[in-house]
Amino acid sequence: MAPIDLRNPDRPIRAGVILTGGVTEILDVAPMDLIYGLSKTCQAEFPVGMVDESLEAQAMDFEFYWVNETGKTARMTSGIHMQTTHSFEDCPQLDIVLMGAHNMGYKPTDSECAFVRKQYEGCAAFLTICAGFETALYAGILEGKTATGPRMMMSEMKKQAPGVKWVEQRWANDGKVWTSGVLLNGLELMRAFTTEIWGGQGGLVDFMLRMGNVPDRDQMYADAGDNPL
């Protein structure tokens, strides 16, 4: 079955975060809330008149999933323990997949890599933030793709994974694969992604990005000077 058309969905869009058995950086996966902001559920929570009716009408039906192998509590940074919504066994095919970085030294399991490959095949968009690209790399889905990650990792990644076209950018897009630099570059990735799929000046995406003051820095780090990070 072909992936859903995100621009013209015929059912609720399934957006999900895949969590490993490691400790996931909470800021890496927080940008999922920018998609939540486009949902009918979120728009219904605003006081009447805060969002123009013409913009509210652009809101979409979303279902949100937080998934790990067991369906039990997932570990996040800062001591957070998150109750997932689904396990690998009962999670449906996701349409938008987001992965964040796990703690250094954790290697994704074979079952985690297999689940990532399965979800990648059927999804319409696969997003990684910060070193969240590592599980995708282990799963083999970045081979031959243009991708990015934290700037301080790029030199080593070019040696370790020469089959990937590594670029030093705040975010990169190749087909349905979207990757970002360090954790807060995930906001810029999500700005670019939502604008590409549903955006347009004066629309709901534009309004929510402006209301949230979501950063819009140069994709190529032109504003970063000599800062290697």
Side-chain angles (χ1 to χ4, degrees):
M1 183 179 296
I4 193 173
D5 182 351
L6 293 175
R7 294 179 177 86
N8 297 287
D10 57 0
R11 57 166 174 77
I13 297 171
R14 302 181 190 122
V17 176
I18 299 177
L19 303 162
T20 68
V23 180
T24 299
E25 288 185 344
I26 188 67
L27 286 177
D28 287 358
V29 294
M32 179 60 80
D33 256 10
L34 296 185
I35 294 179
Y36 175 74
L38 306 176
S39 70
K40 291 181 179 179
T41 301
C42 178
Q43 292 301 313
E45 295 169 351
F46 288 121
V48 174
M50 179 174 285
V51 182
D52 189 272
E53 289 183 359
S54 65
L55 297 179
E56 287 184 355
Q58 298 173 31
M60 294 165 285
D61 287 315
F62 283 94
E63 296 173 353
F64 293 92
Y65 298 79
W66 294 77
V67 189
N68 68 1
E69 185 169 2
T70 64
K72 297 179 181 179
T73 302
R75 294 179 297 162
M76 317 293 285
T77 51
S78 299
I80 295 172
H81 288 75
M82 176 180 289
Q83 179 56 56
T84 58
T85 62
H86 290 75
S87 68
F88 290 175
E89 185 176 353
D90 62 16
C91 179
Q93 174 62 58
L94 302 173
D95 303 313
I96 300 172
V97 176
L98 173 62
M99 293 199 73
H102 48 248
N103 53 301
M104 294 182 182
Y106 179 82
K107 183 175 180 180
T109 65
D110 289 344
S111 57
E112 287 171 340
C113 289
F115 184 73
V116 165
R117 284 191 293 270
K118 175 185 175 184
Q119 288 294 334
Y120 171 76
E121 288 300 323
C123 75
F126 193 99
L127 288 56
T128 71
I129 291 175
C130 194
F133 73 82
E134 288 185 315
T135 303
L137 183 64
Y138 279 119
I141 66 177
L142 295 186
E143 187 69 19
K145 296 286 187 182
T146 297
T148 192
R151 295 182 86 182
M152 74 286 283
M153 298 179 70
M154 289 297 92
S155 178
E156 186 61 28
M157 294 318 302
K158 290 175 181 178
K159 299 174 185 177
Q160 292 186 16
V164 180
K165 183 180 178 182
W166 297 104
V167 293
E168 208 167 296
Q169 299 175 186
R170 282 198 167 102
W171 57 269
N173 171 225
D174 188 344
K176 64 181 178 181
V177 174
W178 295 72
T179 51
S180 90
V182 291
L183 46 94
L184 291 183
N185 292 151
L187 291 171
E188 288 148 329
L189 177 152
M190 197 63 82
R191 166 187 276 277
F193 172 71
T194 55
T195 299
E196 171 70 21
I197 302 300
W198 303 294
Q201 189 171 5
L204 179 61
V205 171
D206 181 49
F207 176 83
M208 294 300 292
L209 291 172
R210 286 187 292 108
M211 186 172 74
N213 199 23
V214 177
D216 187 19
R217 294 176 295 179
D218 186 79
Q219 181 185 3
M220 306 299 176
Y221 293 111
D223 56 340
D226 296 328
N227 182 2
L229 303 179

